[in-house]
Amino acid sequence: MASRTLPPPHLRLDLCSPRLPPLRSPGCRRRRRRGRLLSALSSPSPSPSSASRSQSVSTAPLERGVGPGPATSREQPRGGGDPALAAELARLSALRARLRGARSLADKLRALDAETRVVEFFGEGSNGGVLGALEPREVFLLKCLVAAGQEHVLGAELDWDGRGHEHHHHHNGGSDGRSALRQALSSLAALVGKWSSEGVVEGVAESGESELLRRLLKFLGDIDVFYDCIGGIIGYQIMALELLSASKDHKHRPSKHKSIDFHVPSGLNLLEDTEYASQAALWGIEGLPELGEIYPIGGAGDRLGLVDSDTGESLPAALLPYCGRSLLEGLIRDLQAREFLHFKIFGKQCITPVAIMTSSVKDNHEHITAICERLEWFGRGRENFRLFEQPLVPVVNAKDGKWLTSGALFPVGKPGGHGAIWKLACDRGIFQWLYQNGRKGATVRQVSNVVAATDLTLMALAGIGLRHDKKLGFASCERRPGATEGVNVLIEKENQDGQWAYGITCIEYTEFEKYGIPEPTVTNGSLQANYPANTNILYVDLQAAEEVGSRKNASCLPGMVLNLKKAVSYLDHLGFECSAAGGRLECTMQNIADNFMNTYNYRCSKGIESELDTFIVYNERKKVTSSAKRKLKSEDKSLHQTPEGSLLDIMRNAYDLLSSCNVKVPKVKDNCEYLRSGPPFLIFLHPALGPFWDITRQKFVGGSVSQGSELQIEVAEFLWQDVELDGSLIVLADNIMGSTNKNNTGEQIMHYGARCGRCKLQSVKIVNKGINWSSANNVYWKHDVERSESVKIILHENAEFEAKDVVLKGNHIFEVPTGHRMRIVQDGPEFVAKLDPISKEMMDSGTWYWKYAVDGAHVKLEMVEL
C-alpha cells in the first residue's frame, strides 16, 4: 500500500446538533405567507467522520476526528492567528469553567454577572428591575446569550443597509456601542414589561414582540439543554469559534496517534456468497421481534422544491408523492412486508416500534404527525410510534462568529444534522421505550432512499448484527464517480501507548481532498476494488448507541463540523430571501462508529474485520441506494439523486427480478434514453410479494411483459404463471397482507394473514392500449399516467380473483365484492365471469394460500388449496 502523510483534519469534531423550534413572529404574517419564516437548508449536509484515506500513514502529526472534549479552566483554547478570536475563546472557556463549577442557578447567575458584557448590557444588579418579570432560568438564558457575544440578537449593535444585509458594530466600549446597548436594553425592558403586564390579564392577546421573546427563550433553552454536554449556549459558541478558527488558519492540535492507515473494508458480499446471504437475511426476519426501526426525517429537502399546490407552502421531503404514495408511507410499507414475511414463516404477529426524528423546518413535525393520523397510524397503533423533534441550531457568520438573525429576537435556526439522533433519543427516552418493547437492535434508513429494502440487503445487515452481537453495521455498495456521498473505510490507528485500534467508519465527501480519497476507478468487476459508498443504511445495537448518546461530553455528538462550504439562505427582517457565508454545528449519525473501535496490543493482519464490533455488507448499488433528493432541472444531463433516476433503478430491479423468473421483459437502457422517451415499462410490485426475491420468484413463473406495458400488483397472495402482458394490468386489494380490527381503545390494528385478497393468473393473455405514452401529463415517478385502456382487478377485503386459459382484450374492470370469488373462463371467442360466494369456513383463510417453510437457508412456498 502506498504511503502518504495524514493531512490536517480541518473542521472535524466529535459532536452533534440540537432541537430548537422555528422562531417566527406573528407580526411577520405578511412576509411568511403560509410558509415558515425560517427557510431551511436542504437535508442536513453530511459531515466528516473518524478515519480517512491514506493507505499507510507514518507518524500522523494531527488528530483526525476527535473533537475537543469538555473544556476546563486548564484548557488552552484555540484562536489561531487572530488575537481577538483567541482572547474571546479564552474568555468564553473561563466562563464555561466557572458555570460548570457553579452548584446552583443562583451561583451561575453570579458567574454571569461578573462578565463585563453582561454588566454593560443589563447594568449592575440586573436580576431585578427590567428582568424581574422573568423566571431565574429565563434570565440565565438571556445573560448567556449576551455573555456569548450575541447581544445583537436582542436588538443591539444591529442596523440595516437597505439591502437586507446585517452590519454589526463590534462592542468596543465607544459611545456608539454604549448607545446601541442602551437602546437594546430599553427595548428589552419595554418587551419584558409588556409581557408581564399582558401575561396577568386573562384573555389579552399576546403581542408579536412578546411571542417573539417567548420563542427566543424556548430557542435558547433548547440549545442550552441539548448542548449541555459541551457547556450549553456558551459551549456551542466556543465550539463554533474553534471550528471557525480552524477553517481560517488550518492549524490543528497534536494527534494522540503515531500513525493512521485506511483500508478498503471487507465484509459479506450478498451477490457472491448467496447461501450465507440468504441465511443472514433469515436471521434478520427471525429476529424481527428484537428489532426497532429508526427514521431520521427532519431534513428540509430544499433541493426537491416540493410545494403544496393549493397553498404554495414549502413541504418537507417525507411528503414527496412517489410511486403513488408519500416517501414516509413507502418506508412503512417496506417494514410491513418484512413483518408479513415473519408472520408467514413463524405464524406470529410482530409489530415493530418505529422512532421518527422530525424537525420544525417546513412544519415537518406537524406534517409527519398529520400523515400518521390520517392513515390511522398505518394500522399499527399510536403506541408503536414515537416522534421526537430535532432542535434547530444558531447559524454563525463565517466572518466573526456572530449569529445570523432575521430581525431583533429572531436568530436564524437550521437543523443540526442527523447525528443529533443519538443524544436526542437518550434525552427523550426513546431507548427506554424500545427496551420496554423487547428490542435489542434497530435498523436505520433515510426517507429519500427508495431502494434500501430491496431483496436481502436490510435483513442480512440486521441478521448479522443480531446474531453476532455487533454494535454497528453499514450496508454498502460501489461508489458512483462524482457522487456527493461519503465512503466506508477500515481505520487502523497506532496510539502513543503502542496499542492498535481498528474499526469500520465513514468519511464524508467534504473531507476527500483533505484525506486524499480518490475518485473510484472504472469498475473492474469487483464491488470492493475501491472504497465503497456510505449509504446511511445502518444496523445499530441499542445499548451501544445509548451508551454513546448518554455521555456527558462531546463524544455523544458524532462527526461534528462547521460546514462553511455553502452560503446560508434565510429571510431578512423584511421577509426577503438573502444569503450569507456562514454555517452551524452539524453532526452525522453514522460517525457514532468512531466510538466503537477495538484495540489490540499488536498490529493485526488482514481479515480483522470479522472480529470487530463494526461490520459491513455489500450488494450491488441499485439494490442498496437510489435517492429522490433533488428536482430534475431542464438543463440536467444526469438523473443522479432525482426521482426520475431512482424510478429507473426500481425498473432495473424489476427487470432483474422478473427475468430470473423466466418472464421476458424489455431491458432498461441508459438514463439518457429516459430523458428522450421515458421508461420502457412501468412495473410496481408490492414488497410483500417477497420481499426476498427468492420468495417472489416462486410466485412469478414464465410469460412476458411487452415494451410500453404497465404492471402493478398490490396483493401478497398472488400467482403469475405464463401470463403475457401487452398493455396495462393493475391488481388492487383492500387487504394486501391482512385485515384490520379495532382494539380495546378503538384503534384499527393490522392482523397479518387474516382475510387477505387473493389473485391467480394462469396462462392468461392480456392485450390493451395501456398507457398513453405520448401524453404530456404523465409523471412516471409519481405513477401518475394517462391510460387509453387497462385491465383493472379490484379486490374488496377477502375477495378472490382467478383467470385461467383466457384472453382479455381491451378495457376491463373486474371488481370483486367482499366474501366472493370471481373466476374468468373462456367461452368461445369471448370470456365469462363467474361470481361465487366463499364458504363461511374459508372467509379468513381463503380458498387457497401460500404456505411458507424454511428449508436450510431458503424459504420454500407451497400452494395449499382448500
Side-chain angles (χ1 to χ4, degrees):
M1 292 186 286
S3 174
R4 70 194 308 136
T5 303
L6 183 69
H10 265 82
L11 305 186
R12 281 235 352 130
L13 286 179
D14 211 23
L15 272 174
C16 181
S17 55
R19 76 156 237 114
L20 316 166
L23 305 178
R24 47 173 206 241
S25 161
C28 295
R29 305 240 195 270
R30 174 189 63 78
R31 59 188 184 257
R32 282 177 53 224
R33 304 194 184 276
R34 296 179 62 94
R36 283 273 178 193
L37 187 61
L38 285 178
S39 68
L41 290 174
S42 59
S43 32
S45 58
S47 58
S49 89
S50 106
S52 265
R53 157 77 178 233
S54 97
Q55 297 262 350
S56 192
V57 169
S58 56
T59 305
L62 306 165
E63 174 63 22
R64 177 193 178 267
V66 180
T72 71
S73 57
R74 296 185 300 277
E75 283 182 353
Q76 296 297 314
R78 290 177 290 169
D82 184 342
L85 185 55
E88 179 69 352
L89 278 167
R91 182 185 70 80
L92 290 173
S93 296
L95 173 59
R96 176 170 64 178
R98 288 196 298 274
L99 290 173
R100 281 181 164 155
R103 295 187 176 183
S104 66
L105 183 55
D107 289 342
K108 289 183 178 181
L109 284 167
R110 277 191 287 275
L112 287 165
D113 286 339
E115 287 291 307
T116 304
R117 276 186 183 271
V118 173
V119 172
E120 292 192 359
F121 189 88
F122 292 107
E124 297 279 358
S126 56
N127 291 339
V130 60
L131 298 179
L134 298 179
E135 296 291 329
R137 168 72 179 164
E138 295 167 336
V139 174
F140 169 78
L141 294 172
L142 290 177
K143 289 186 174 181
C144 280
L145 179 70
V146 172
Q150 310 303 323
E151 50 267 75
H152 64 281
V153 174
L154 300 175
E157 302 180 309
L158 180 66
D159 65 46
W160 300 83
D161 63 6
R163 298 190 302 273
H165 299 291
E166 295 180 27
H167 289 276
H168 302 287
H169 305 290
H170 291 285
H171 180 71
N172 56 14
S175 59
D176 287 348
R178 286 195 297 272
S179 170
L181 292 178
R182 277 199 299 271
Q183 182 184 348
L185 190 54
S186 171
S187 300
L188 187 61
L191 191 51
V192 172
K194 197 181 294 186
W195 183 358
S196 61
S197 64
E198 289 170 3
V200 296
V201 182
E202 203 167 324
V204 173
E206 200 175 63
S207 72
E209 292 88 349
S210 48
E211 184 188 335
L212 269 178
L213 181 55
R214 287 185 191 276
R215 291 180 180 278
L216 174 62
L217 288 168
K218 175 74 165 63
F219 182 84
L220 296 174
D222 285 345
I223 299 168
D224 202 59
V225 168
F226 187 78
Y227 284 105
D228 57 1
C229 56
I230 58 168
I233 293 169
I234 302 299
Y236 182 93
Q237 190 62 17
I238 290 171
M239 180 89 36
L241 290 178
E242 287 188 338
L243 291 173
L244 191 58
S245 170
S247 73
K248 290 179 177 180
D249 61 35
H250 308 295
K251 290 183 181 178
H252 306 279
R253 300 189 308 155
S255 173
K256 295 181 295 185
H257 307 290
K258 289 183 182 177
S259 66
I260 303 178
D261 292 2
F262 303 105
H263 311 280
V264 175
S266 65
L268 171 64
N269 189 320
L270 302 176
L271 283 176
E272 295 174 0
D273 195 344
T274 54
E275 281 298 302
Y276 185 64
S278 295
Q279 181 62 71
L282 270 179
W283 289 336
I285 289 295
E286 185 178 8
L288 216 54
E290 292 184 289
L291 285 172
E293 192 99 340
I294 299 174
Y295 304 143
I297 56 178
D302 285 339
R303 289 185 295 166
L304 279 171
L306 186 61
V307 296
D308 187 308
S309 56
D310 296 327
T311 67
E313 179 185 8
S314 292
L315 298 174
L319 271 65
L320 184 75
Y322 189 86
C323 296
R325 65 198 62 82
S326 70
L327 288 177
L328 175 61
E329 290 172 75
L331 294 185
I332 301 296
R333 169 183 160 106
D334 286 339
L335 174 59
Q336 289 177 322
R338 299 194 290 277
E339 293 171 343
F340 178 71
L341 177 56
H342 179 88
F343 170 80
K344 292 292 283 186
I345 295 174
F346 302 105
K348 295 177 182 176
Q349 179 90 353
C350 173
I351 302 292
T352 304
V354 178
I356 302 177
M357 184 173 75
T358 64
S359 78
S360 55
V361 171
K362 298 184 181 178
D363 291 328
N364 175 292
H365 185 84
E366 289 79 6
H367 282 302
I368 299 301
T369 304
I371 289 179
C372 293
E373 289 175 345
R374 176 171 56 81
L375 297 174
E376 298 183 289
W377 300 96
F378 305 94
R380 309 175 67 75
R382 174 68 186 87
E383 74 279 2
N384 286 306
F385 285 86
R386 284 291 184 277
L387 275 60
F388 56 115
E389 196 173 331
Q390 178 181 7
L392 300 183
V393 303
V395 180
V396 302
N397 191 305
K399 192 166 118 185
D400 56 12
K402 295 282 188 183
W403 294 5
L404 297 181
T405 70
S406 290
L409 306 177
F410 207 137
V412 174
K414 305 281 185 180
H418 45 52
I421 200 162
W422 310 120
K423 182 178 189 298
L424 201 59
C426 283
D427 291 351
R428 301 302 166 81
I430 302 301
F431 289 112
Q432 292 304 314
W433 172 68
L434 289 168
Y435 298 147
Q436 288 163 11
N437 281 276
R439 308 296 147 158
K440 176 187 171 186
T443 43
V444 184
R445 62 179 289 201
Q446 292 178 286
V447 73
S448 59
N449 183 356
V450 295
V451 301
T454 303
D455 197 9
L456 302 174
T457 307
L458 200 57
M459 283 296 91
L461 178 74
I464 292 171
L466 283 172
R467 189 81 171 190
H468 297 293
D469 292 319
K470 299 291 189 180
K471 291 183 178 178
L472 187 76
F474 296 89
S476 189
C477 58
E478 72 271 23
R479 284 170 65 203
R480 184 190 297 273
T484 54
E485 60 192 8
V487 295
N488 293 125
V489 300
L490 170 66
I491 184 170
E492 178 185 50
K493 297 181 181 181
E494 184 184 8
N495 298 331
Q496 296 291 356
D497 62 3
Q499 294 266 311
W500 290 83
Y502 294 85
I504 295 171
T505 187
C506 166
I507 306 166
E508 280 309 321
Y509 68 93
T510 51
E511 303 267 274
F512 285 177
E513 185 178 351
K514 189 192 316 178
Y515 297 113
I517 301 290
E519 276 296 308
T521 53
V522 178
T523 306
N524 58 5
S526 171
L527 276 179
Q528 300 178 42
N530 301 291
Y531 287 115
N534 176 62
T535 66
N536 277 348
I537 302 171
L538 308 174
Y539 165 81
V540 64
D541 177 83
L542 295 175
Q543 284 192 343
E546 184 188 30
E547 190 278 321
V548 173
S550 63
R551 290 178 188 170
K552 302 303 181 187
N553 58 41
S555 65
C556 70
L557 303 169
M560 179 59 72
V561 293
L562 183 70
N563 187 353
L564 301 172
K565 294 201 171 183
K566 296 178 183 174
V568 179
S569 61
Y570 63 101
L571 299 185
D572 66 18
H573 71 305
L574 296 174
F576 294 109
E577 182 150 333
C578 57
S579 66
R584 77 276 194 195
L585 295 188
E586 296 179 77
C587 50
T588 50
M589 63 180 181
Q590 66 273 20
N591 284 107
I592 194 174
D594 299 346
N595 295 280
F596 301 142
M597 304 283 286
N598 294 82
T599 56
Y600 299 85
N601 294 323
Y602 49 87
R603 187 174 190 180
C604 300
S605 56
K606 193 174 180 181
I608 185 64
E609 288 92 335
S610 61
E611 296 182 25
L612 301 179
D613 289 329
T614 49
F615 70 102
I616 192 166
V617 301
Y618 294 97
N619 208 337
E620 63 179 317
R621 187 178 179 94
K622 66 179 182 285
K623 284 184 170 185
V624 180
T625 182
S626 191
S627 296
K629 285 186 177 179
R630 65 178 184 89
K631 187 176 183 178
L632 182 67
K633 297 173 184 172
S634 56
E635 68 273 16
D636 281 349
K637 293 180 180 177
S638 168
L639 298 182
H640 182 55
Q641 292 191 332
T642 65
E644 290 83 355
S646 57
L647 174 76
L648 281 181
D649 282 335
I650 291 173
M651 295 306 106
R652 291 184 178 102
N653 284 330
Y655 168 84
D656 288 351
L657 171 58
L658 292 182
S659 295
S660 69
C661 305
N662 292 318
V663 178
K664 292 180 181 176
V665 185
K667 193 149 189 169
V668 182
K669 295 181 182 175
D670 188 80
N671 284 3
C672 298
E673 188 71 22
Y674 180 94
L675 294 171
R676 288 193 290 270
S677 56
F681 55 78
L682 288 178
I683 297 177
F684 299 107
L685 304 179
H686 194 285
L689 287 161
F692 301 164
W693 286 10
D694 216 13
I695 294 169
T696 315
R697 288 186 189 104
Q698 297 172 71
K699 297 180 181 181
F700 284 81
V701 183
S704 62
V705 176
S706 298
Q707 178 87 16
S709 291
E710 174 191 25
L711 175 63
Q712 181 184 10
I713 307 296
E714 294 287 316
V715 62
E717 298 284 19
F718 177 78
L719 173 66
W720 163 298
Q721 188 172 21
D722 297 321
V723 177
E724 296 177 29
L725 173 61
D726 185 1
S728 287
L729 169 63
I730 299 166
V731 181
L732 305 175
D734 293 341
N735 296 352
I736 298 172
M737 297 169 281
S739 60
T740 58
N741 291 316
K742 283 189 178 180
N743 64 6
N744 51 17
T745 61
E747 287 187 299
Q748 294 286 348
I749 303 297
M750 167 71 73
H751 292 271
Y752 291 114
R755 298 174 63 85
C756 290
R758 299 168 204 281
C759 180
K760 283 198 289 191
L761 304 174
Q762 296 169 282
S763 300
V764 177
K765 187 170 184 177
I766 298 170
V767 181
N768 57 64
K769 293 178 182 176
I771 292 174
N772 176 10
W773 291 93
S774 62
S775 171
N777 297 322
N778 291 342
V779 183
Y780 302 116
W781 59 267
K782 289 185 179 180
H783 198 197
D784 182 2
V785 294
E786 288 186 9
R787 298 178 185 88
S788 301
E789 293 179 330
S790 67
V791 168
K792 186 177 281 190
I793 300 165
I794 302 170
L795 305 172
H796 291 291
E797 296 190 17
N798 62 343
E800 299 183 11
F801 180 91
E802 294 179 17
K804 187 174 183 180
D805 299 322
V806 66
V807 177
L808 301 176
K809 283 190 177 180
N811 196 49
H812 299 284
I813 297 177
F814 302 104
E815 189 162 3
V816 190
T818 302
H820 287 77
R821 177 172 64 156
M822 180 180 286
R823 289 179 296 157
I824 307 297
V825 294
Q826 199 72 35
D827 185 11
E830 303 296 327
F831 64 83
V832 293
K834 297 182 178 181
L835 186 66
D836 300 305
I838 297 171
S839 62
K840 193 172 181 180
E841 59 270 20
M842 295 183 186
M843 280 292 184
D844 275 353
S845 63
T847 64
W848 67 274
Y849 64 89
W850 287 111
K851 181 181 178 182
Y852 291 49
V854 175
D855 181 11
H858 299 274
V859 178
K860 299 295 184 186
L861 270 57
E862 176 191 355
M863 182 176 286
V864 177
E865 301 195 67
L866 303 174

